Amino acid sequence: MNTPQLVVIDDEADLGSLVCDVAEQSGFGVSQFTSARQFMEQYNGCVDVIVLDLMMPDIDGIEVIRFLSQNQCPAQIIIMSGFDSTVLHSAQKLASERGLSFAGSLTKPFRLSQLTELLESLEIKARCHSPGTTIEPPSAAELKQALENNELVVFFQPKISLNGDSKTAAEALVRWQHPEHGLLTPDYFIDTAEQHGLIDQLTWVVLRQVMSQCSQWHDQGLGVQVAVNMSAHTLKDLNLPEQIGNMLQQFALDPSHLVLEVTETALMEELIKSLDILTRLRMRGIRLSIDDFGTGYSSLIQLYRAPFSEIKIDRSFVAEMDNDQEAATIVQTIIDLGKNLNMKTVAEGVETEDCKDRLKALGCEQAQGYLFARPMPADEFFRWYQTYPH
Ligand code: C2E
Ligand code: CA
Ligand code: CA
């Protein structure tokens, strides 16, 4: 394996070289820049991690973020700053919104052990990086072929109950079992599906597999409630409630076993039409979940108007809970909101015991994340479930 490359950009040369030392000890090849301009002139894309100071005299960190985004830089970005955490948060949000991969932040002065921890967690991320993210997106024709060849398969990730009820639940996450590239995650092909009118077909492939699997599990004595991700496009089809209703009937499934996950952004595209469809889905007894909650815009108003049964707290807040008080406050506020509006709250991206314990103490009802299990094929899910302590 190649040595991962880390670049430090900070006008404080001493701090920069300290970061380099720590990174070297963590197994990185390092380069240091004290001027952002110099970094930009020499940039060639061959970097895995960038540690970036926000406040620099010639060109500041925000400009570097813009530059990296224009160059579609794939590196993981760590932001350092002496400012308070609100500035760090907006820089972080800016980086993510510009399509960069944000890996963490450090408020100066920080302990070297904080840096080491962060770098070590990155190594883990690098190791589980999906192969799909490094290959070119598929063409519409390739994806169409894959859909016809049944190469799309559904994986299931458990949603764990934190409040002691023993209901079994899972989220269905689509994968492409590619004949050459192996198993590919949705980041690689969902955009192509959305852009070339294949997303409805994909959704129906997923819904059919999910319902068929669910009914098989029911026959085996495992009543699983499964959540399916709905794209904005599918949500605009006025026939959706009836078609889903028919499919549920075909598989003899109770509608309460199906949850549809909808993102705020999807909802906003054609709000009135979506509200019509969502209301009719809900009237049929299908549960609706608002996904990635906290990352959209008119959150509160949408929650009030649309008939959601559950809120999924976005993993960007959940993951930061352990070391960021503001993120923890947001999570708590969302859980309280859920309680007050009579909606279940689900936290996604739970990776540590600590995080789970805190969520439970705050009254969050369900949790999902690598701490419990990664998404897995249906038969594995069934076996996993048999051995999971209830
Ligand atoms: P999402 O709906 O937010 O799904 C959760 C994503 O978080 C999944 O990524 C899951 O593998 C990942 N995840 C779960 N636990 C953890 C954790 O502890 N830590 C971290 N870092 N990540 C965790 P995945 O499977 O790659 O899916 C990515 C996105 O693709 C999904 O995000 C969803 O928006 C979309 N997607 C997946 N399946 C479908 C589908 O059938 N239809 C549509 N339209 N979109 C789908
Ligand atoms: Ca989801
Ligand atoms: Ca989500």
Side-chain angles (χ1 to χ4, degrees):
M1 208 175 82
N2 292 335
T3 312
Q5 296 300 314
L6 178 144
V7 167
V8 185
I9 314 167
D10 190 339
D11 60 305
E12 289 177 66
D14 291 352
L15 183 64
S17 53
L18 216 53
V19 170
C20 283
D21 290 347
V22 173
E24 251 173 344
Q25 282 163 23
S26 301
F28 287 89
V30 294
S31 5
Q32 180 181 2
F33 292 89
T34 49
S35 136
R37 187 178 308 282
Q38 203 187 355
F39 163 77
M40 280 150 69
E41 279 164 8
Q42 294 182 19
Y43 177 78
N44 61 6
C46 294
V47 52
D48 300 291
V49 179
I50 297 176
V51 183
L52 176 64
D53 182 30
L54 280 187
M55 187 66 188
M56 289 180 289
D58 61 340
I59 293 174
D60 64 41
I62 302 297
E63 288 172 89
V64 177
I65 287 174
R66 195 184 318 129
F67 168 84
L68 292 172
S69 132
Q70 278 157 359
N71 285 282
Q72 299 185 333
C73 173
Q76 306 201 51
I77 321 278
I78 295 176
I79 298 175
M80 287 189 299
S81 162
F83 293 113
D84 66 26
S85 50
T86 51
V87 174
L88 277 176
H89 282 155
S90 41
Q92 163 187 348
K93 198 156 185 338
L94 192 69
S96 309
E97 273 172 7
R98 287 182 169 271
L100 299 173
S101 160
F102 173 78
S105 58
L106 295 163
T107 313
K108 292 179 180 180
F110 51 86
R111 289 190 310 275
L112 290 181
S113 62
Q114 280 174 282
L115 176 61
T116 314
E117 259 174 48
L118 194 56
L119 292 178
E120 273 161 15
S121 74
L122 291 182
E123 270 188 343
I124 298 166
K125 278 190 199 161
R127 257 189 277 125
C128 47
H129 215 59
S130 102
T133 50
T134 53
I135 53 180
E136 285 287 300
S139 69
E142 283 169 317
L143 184 57
K144 200 166 168 28
Q145 194 66 51
L147 279 157
E148 277 154 22
N149 295 350
N150 297 322
E151 287 169 15
L152 294 198
V153 289
V154 176
F155 273 37
F156 295 86
Q157 185 179 33
K159 288 165 92 178
I160 303 295
S161 163
L162 296 178
N163 62 359
D165 83 22
S166 55
K167 284 210 196 83
T168 317
E171 177 173 4
L173 294 157
V174 68
R175 300 286 182 262
W176 179 352
Q177 187 64 64
H178 195 287
E180 285 161 46
H181 304 305
L183 195 66
L184 303 174
T185 52
D187 298 339
Y188 168 69
F189 56 89
I190 289 283
D191 277 355
T192 305
E194 297 262 11
Q195 282 159 20
H196 295 92
L198 294 169
I199 192 71
D200 287 353
Q201 199 183 337
L202 183 146
T203 307
W204 284 107
V205 164
V206 172
L207 278 166
R208 180 168 287 280
Q209 279 191 38
V210 163
M211 291 197 204
S212 152
Q213 189 56 61
C214 246
S215 102
Q216 203 177 313
W217 279 332
H218 278 243
D219 293 345
Q220 292 169 304
L222 186 69
V224 191
Q225 182 185 63
V226 184
V228 174
N229 291 285
M230 296 305 278
S231 97
H233 190 269
T234 316
L235 214 61
K236 288 180 213 146
D237 178 359
L238 286 167
N239 293 320
L240 187 73
E242 196 189 347
Q243 284 168 338
I244 292 194
N246 290 346
M247 199 181 254
L248 282 164
Q249 255 178 5
Q250 187 193 333
F251 288 99
L253 280 175
D254 189 285
S256 65
H257 280 101
L258 183 64
V259 179
L260 301 180
E261 294 193 3
V262 180
T263 62
E264 279 174 87
T265 337
L267 190 65
M268 292 308 290
E269 274 188 18
E270 260 188 78
L271 188 61
I272 305 296
K273 209 172 187 184
S274 311
L275 283 180
D276 169 323
I277 294 166
L278 291 176
T279 309
R280 286 189 292 130
L281 284 164
R282 191 71 196 97
M283 280 160 59
R284 288 175 179 266
I286 294 158
R287 302 178 65 85
L288 302 172
S289 169
I290 188 153
D291 204 355
D292 301 343
F293 189 76
T295 58
Y297 299 96
S298 334
S299 319
L300 202 59
I301 298 163
Q302 288 348 309
L303 271 184
Y304 170 67
R305 289 169 68 175
F308 288 105
S309 350
E310 99 182 9
I311 307 180
K312 278 192 101 167
I313 311 169
D314 191 67
R315 67 170 178 274
S316 59
F317 305 115
V318 177
E320 287 296 308
M321 254 179 100
D322 287 346
N323 41 29
D324 179 340
Q325 187 45 47
E326 276 123 339
T329 306
I330 290 175
V331 171
Q332 170 160 19
T333 308
I334 299 177
I335 293 171
D336 292 344
L337 185 66
K339 277 187 206 149
N340 291 333
L341 293 176
N342 219 355
M343 290 181 215
K344 182 155 109 190
T345 41
V346 184
E348 59 177 27
V350 178
E351 296 188 358
T352 64
E353 280 291 340
D354 252 15
C355 178
K356 180 192 88 177
D357 293 342
R358 294 180 67 175
L359 287 163
K360 194 172 169 174
L362 292 173
C364 180
E365 278 140 309
Q366 264 185 347
Q368 178 183 347
Y370 295 165
L371 173 67
F372 312 104
R374 286 179 180 261
M376 53 195 147
D379 50 350
E380 216 176 289
F381 178 86
F382 187 78
R383 283 197 300 275
W384 179 89
Y385 200 76
Q386 309 296 317
T387 52
Y388 186 74
H390 300 290

